[in-house]
Amino acid sequence: MSVRTRSSRARRCAALLAAGVLLPLPLLAGCSSGGPDASDGAAAARDIAVAARAKVADKGTLTWAVDALPTTFNTFQADADASTQRVAGAVLPALFTLDAHGRPQRNPDFLRSAEVVRREPRQVVLYKLNPSAVWSDGSAVTAADFEAQAKALRGKDSAYWTARNAGYDRIERVERGADAHEVKVTFAKSYADWPSLFTPLYPKSVMGTPTGFNDSARKELVLAAGPFKVGSRDEDQGTLTLERNPKWWGDRAKLDRLVLRAVPREQRAEALASGKADLAEITPDIATRIAKANMPPKKDKAGKPVKPSDPQLHGLVVRKSLEPAYTQLALNGASGPLADERVRRAVARAIDRRAIAESVLRPLGLPAEPLGSHVLVAGQEGYQDNSDAIGGMDPRAAMSLLADAGWKEGQTARKKPAEAAEDSSREVRDDRNHGSSSGKGAAAPVRLKDGKKLALRFVLPKGSGTESLRAVGDRIARQLEAVGIRTEITKVEDAGYFKDHIASGDFDLALYSWPASAYPATDARPIFAKPQPATDGSLTVEQNYTRVGTDQIDRLFDQAAGELDEDASRDLVTRADARIWAAAGSIPLYQRPELVGARATVVNAGAFGLATPRYQDMGFRRQ
């Protein structure tokens, strides 16, 4: 049976970023604060250089390194990427933004109020728009823009090439309210995550027709309603310029221009040093170089200053936090040994998640707790560790599960004494450093069933910037071997990692990341949805690339999406997460580190954690 994947939200783009292998997350607009703040209750708070607007220069151009320039400005198209989302955050209306805990907050620049005014017989949401809200041609933001977007995204007209319609497919009608500044949205089915809708909001000229939706915002975005508008694009230089929007009614953008520049990850240290970039996500290696270059000068035995390493990086700073995203071990349950839940659970019980999290995060000075949820990350309201649904590391339990599944201990080739001693020493050293137990270590026997060896194909990317991911893969392989599970590690090119392996199901084990969401009832469902047969004989997996799902998980997400009581909805999502743990198709390992290199004079920008900056406040410290 062939497999069909389907993207239901543009934020789940069908492409993996080379560095860290992450499916992109949209920019989350919200308030910003300074360094770590214990009152946040987050595992790691935002880390930016906070400056009051009066302390920010009223001019300047800030260049922000990105992986690639956007291929479309329409975030609802399948090829939208992280750069698309970044542009949208700066130039388009966001009705709700997210605070430091990832909670939706009404954006007063666009909304005077927004609330559910009726629940029965149909849910009705009434939006009262800020009367000052206008597009960059001076025309007002009105109900007509809302109506056009709902029509384009509800999924009833295949002429619109949409990547997602979740939530919009529940809308019955959109109409003007009591006056031109009111919008009334009536739902055919109750929808808990209604604040996720109409962000970003596009003008009717983009959403009003299939041609406009499919083509008009692909190369240009004529109208804006944010602190910036789209300016020039230079393919030779790899830059896209966003200019201050003179029609913006809110706080005036401090920057004259915000430039996005395409810079490969491995070249970002040089880009920051040369001034080609003022702000850039960086790898741990580059972060270490910047930190060393800015340490107090040392002196040799004669008392003379020692020349610093990478002097060109002096004057740069590293901002660090944890992303609203996590890295997981994915187990393909479609066929082979992992089709048996007992084998998947054995893999989960063999892995020391805490040691893995510590190996990645502790050297960076970040909280090193393993993630306990598939749907929320530390710091988000409602986050709860549900990993006890499957249990912690226990090699004996793992071996018992394998035996119960019919994988019995067999004979293994005896190693030479020197080889065995070297392997044992390596395993013991690793275990002592990270608090793990390797069971029988190098002497663990191979496991056999019907004469076949238990071996799993572990697919990893091999490009620059994924060294940390490969180190995690090697550590997992050693932990699995300790209970008799052999792994065959295959390192593949980054360009084909997602399409040729993850999406197509050509793997047993793989490492990749998912972003967290403020709306897990909507956004997590397609990631864990039970694969369904299609009429053409293919298998629709949505974004559930592990092919592991249950009817119960689907029902819990569906119930949560329709439950308007926030506490009840959150409880249903928590129960779904517990069932996902028990099914053992996906094992969350750690929240991804967020490392950003910046010029020391850059303010209100850096590692944003669960929230992103107000673009109008970004800039350079006033001299």
Side-chain angles (χ1 to χ4, degrees):
M1 178 180 288
S2 62
V3 176
R4 175 190 299 160
T5 62
R6 178 161 54 88
S7 177
S8 63
R9 295 186 68 85
R11 68 190 64 187
R12 313 290 187 187
C13 300
L16 291 175
L17 300 184
V21 197
L22 169 69
L23 284 158
L25 179 74
L27 295 180
L28 308 179
C31 304
S32 298
S33 69
D37 181 353
S39 65
D40 278 351
R46 298 178 296 265
D47 183 9
I48 65 176
V50 176
R53 284 180 56 84
K55 300 293 186 181
V56 185
D58 288 309
K59 61 181 180 179
T61 298
L62 187 147
T63 303
W64 199 341
V66 296
D67 292 311
L69 297 186
T71 56
T72 178
F73 293 121
N74 187 340
T75 64
F76 297 94
Q77 292 181 332
D79 53 350
D81 57 17
S83 295
T84 305
Q85 304 289 351
R86 188 162 293 171
V87 172
V91 308
L92 290 172
L95 302 191
F96 283 80
T97 60
L98 303 181
D99 66 12
H101 295 280
R103 298 172 299 197
Q105 304 292 330
R106 175 181 59 86
N107 185 350
D109 284 331
F110 295 99
L111 291 176
R112 285 188 165 178
S113 66
E115 58 183 333
V116 177
V117 295
R118 186 187 307 157
R119 298 194 177 200
E120 298 294 342
R122 294 283 191 273
Q123 176 185 349
V124 176
V125 174
L126 184 65
Y127 300 90
K128 294 186 178 181
L129 306 180
N130 184 334
S132 300
V134 295
W135 298 104
S136 51
D137 64 354
S139 62
V141 177
T142 70
D145 300 306
F146 284 71
E147 185 177 14
Q149 185 150 319
K151 178 183 176 182
L153 298 176
R154 65 182 48 165
K156 294 184 178 180
D157 188 344
S158 60
Y160 290 89
W161 300 340
T162 63
R164 59 177 169 113
N165 54 45
Y168 293 95
D169 56 359
R170 295 180 179 234
I171 293 177
E172 182 177 280
R173 64 181 180 274
V174 177
E175 55 195 327
R176 170 177 161 157
D179 58 41
H181 305 303
E182 285 192 4
V183 182
K184 185 167 70 170
V185 178
T186 302
F187 291 81
K189 293 174 62 178
S190 294
Y191 187 47
D193 290 336
W194 63 267
S196 69
L197 303 175
F198 306 109
T199 295
L201 178 68
Y202 285 83
K204 183 180 178 180
S205 59
V206 172
M207 292 287 179
T209 66
T211 299
F213 181 91
N214 299 335
D215 300 321
S216 68
R218 183 160 290 282
K219 294 298 183 181
E220 61 180 3
L221 194 57
V222 176
L223 297 182
F228 291 90
K229 64 178 183 178
V230 176
S232 62
R233 181 174 182 139
D234 188 327
E235 295 291 351
D236 292 335
Q237 294 295 319
T239 59
L240 173 67
T241 299
L242 307 182
E243 302 170 348
R244 185 188 288 125
N245 179 8
K247 293 291 186 179
W248 172 245
W249 59 94
D251 290 334
R252 180 176 182 269
K254 288 291 184 176
L255 291 167
D256 297 311
R257 289 168 295 276
L258 177 61
V259 176
L260 304 184
R261 183 189 294 274
V263 181
R265 299 263 169 163
E266 64 273 14
Q267 297 177 18
R268 290 187 180 174
E270 290 68 28
L272 288 165
S274 66
K276 289 185 177 181
D278 302 300
L279 192 69
E281 293 181 17
I282 55 177
T283 63
D285 287 345
I286 294 177
T288 299
R289 288 174 57 191
I290 293 175
K292 288 182 177 179
N294 289 275
M295 292 177 65
K298 294 182 179 180
K299 295 183 179 180
D300 60 19
K301 294 181 179 179
K304 296 181 179 180
V306 176
K307 184 178 180 180
S309 61
D310 290 325
Q312 72 276 15
L313 300 180
H314 187 74
L316 299 177
V317 295
V318 176
R319 306 294 180 189
K320 57 187 178 182
S321 184
L322 293 175
E323 289 186 15
Y326 66 90
T327 296
Q328 63 165 355
L329 175 66
L331 291 76
N332 187 347
S335 61
L338 294 177
D340 190 326
E341 182 179 297
R342 292 168 295 185
V343 178
R344 297 197 303 271
R345 292 175 67 87
V347 170
R349 300 302 298 272
I351 295 172
D352 190 336
R353 297 191 306 117
R354 178 170 297 278
I356 292 170
E358 289 179 352
S359 71
V360 174
L361 300 174
R362 181 167 288 175
L364 302 175
L366 291 167
E369 289 294 316
L371 191 68
S373 172
H374 297 80
V375 295
L376 296 170
V377 294
Q380 283 187 280
E381 186 174 20
Y383 171 79
Q384 181 175 313
D385 188 339
N386 296 307
S387 61
D388 57 356
I390 195 170
M393 182 190 184
D394 187 336
R396 290 185 179 276
M399 290 187 282
S400 178
L401 284 163
L402 292 173
D404 188 52
W407 293 96
K408 307 297 184 182
E409 293 184 354
Q411 296 297 317
T412 183
R414 299 293 297 176
K415 292 188 177 183
K416 295 179 181 179
E419 293 176 340
E422 182 180 353
D423 286 351
S424 178
S425 175
R426 181 174 63 248
E427 289 290 337
V428 170
R429 181 170 63 251
D430 180 73
D431 295 342
R432 287 176 179 171
N433 288 341
H434 301 286
S436 65
S437 172
S438 61
K440 295 184 179 180
V446 67
R447 290 187 173 267
L448 303 171
K449 183 178 181 179
D450 300 327
K452 185 178 180 180
K453 182 192 300 184
L454 178 54
L456 303 176
R457 184 165 179 257
F458 199 167
V459 179
L460 295 169
K462 66 178 182 181
S464 174
T466 59
E467 295 86 356
S468 177
L469 207 64
R470 293 195 296 274
V472 169
D474 290 338
R475 180 181 294 270
I476 289 172
R478 293 196 301 270
Q479 293 173 349
L480 294 180
E481 185 170 359
V483 299
I485 301 175
R486 301 293 193 219
T487 56
E488 300 168 354
I489 293 181
T490 302
K491 298 175 183 177
V492 303
E493 297 292 342
D494 293 351
Y497 186 70
F498 172 74
K499 181 180 178 181
D500 298 335
H501 298 280
I502 305 303
S504 67
D506 183 26
F507 70 96
D508 291 321
L509 302 174
L511 293 173
Y512 56 90
S513 300
W514 280 121
S517 168
Y519 310 103
T522 297
D523 288 343
R525 189 196 187 283
I527 300 174
F528 304 106
K530 181 180 178 180
Q532 299 293 334
T535 55
D536 62 359
S538 64
L539 189 67
T540 299
V541 302
E542 301 197 36
Q543 278 105 24
N544 187 355
Y545 305 123
T546 70
R547 283 77 174 166
V548 175
T550 70
D551 293 329
Q552 183 185 24
I553 292 170
D554 289 353
R555 282 196 300 270
L556 287 167
F557 277 126
D558 289 341
Q559 291 168 12
E563 176 54 70
L564 296 183
D565 181 283
E566 291 185 12
D567 291 337
S569 180
R570 191 178 300 119
D571 179 66
L572 289 163
V573 168
T574 298
R575 289 167 56 191
D577 180 45
R579 296 311 308 159
I580 296 167
W581 274 107
S586 164
I587 311 301
L589 300 175
Y590 54 87
Q591 200 169 336
R592 281 169 48 99
E594 181 180 13
L595 302 174
V596 178
R599 201 159 303 287
T601 54
V602 171
V603 294
N604 298 328
F608 305 118
L610 296 175
T612 59
R614 283 165 44 93
Y615 283 88
Q616 55 266 51
D617 292 347
M618 291 177 59
F620 297 93
R621 192 178 304 278
R622 187 185 295 275
Q623 299 300 314

